[in-house]
Amino acid sequence: MAEQKEATRVISLEDIKFNEENKAMAAVACIPLIGFILFFVEKKDLFVRYYAAQLAIAGAVPLVLYVIPFIGWFLLPFVYLGLFILTIYSGIQAYSGKRFDVPVVSGWALKVMNSIQ
């Protein structure tokens, strides 16, 4: 008898819907370190997980730049400023129920969400 495997669900942008009950959690998920934790803790709300994945990935950019001598060190303050602005803007968008796709990072966030379910 053939062994049956359970199919894993592929998450797309159409699956990510706003949940009024978790709007505060979605806004808090925009803080990179808290978003990293919420990505693994929150399993049901895809809206929260999407924001958490995006900002956790964006929060890793300064860590990568820190390793690059001179050029990375010069760019680091500007990247931190950009990350701060992105965190504030994303938090406002999440709290208002709008999905904000961070350029480049949103595609990676979907891949991470599909690989870690």
Side-chain angles (χ1 to χ4, degrees):
M1 181 168 210
E3 205 176 302
Q4 289 185 350
K5 290 187 176 181
E6 231 179 88
T8 58
R9 188 175 128 212
V10 176
I11 301 168
S12 67
L13 287 176
E14 289 81 32
D15 297 330
I16 300 170
K17 304 286 184 217
F18 176 65
N19 184 359
E20 183 71 33
E21 296 171 356
N22 288 341
K23 71 180 185 178
M25 190 183 304
V28 170
C30 294
I31 301 170
L33 183 60
I34 296 172
F36 180 76
I37 295 166
L38 278 177
F39 178 75
F40 292 104
V41 173
E42 180 62 46
K43 295 295 181 185
K44 294 182 182 178
D45 194 345
L46 294 178
F47 192 75
V48 173
R49 287 193 82 206
Y50 182 65
Y51 269 104
Q54 284 191 111
L55 273 296
I57 292 169
V61 171
L63 299 174
V64 173
L65 282 179
Y66 186 74
V67 177
I68 303 171
F70 304 115
I71 295 172
W73 299 340
F74 175 73
L75 293 176
L76 207 55
F78 302 108
V79 171
Y80 275 125
L81 178 63
L83 183 62
F84 177 73
I85 293 169
L86 179 67
T87 300
I88 299 297
Y89 183 74
S90 297
I92 292 169
Q93 294 297 316
Y95 193 78
S96 65
K98 299 174 186 167
R99 189 186 77 220
F100 172 64
D101 303 326
V102 178
V104 178
V105 175
S106 62
W108 295 344
L110 276 176
K111 289 179 184 177
V112 169
M113 286 175 67
N114 282 316
S115 64
I116 303 172
Q117 289 187 9

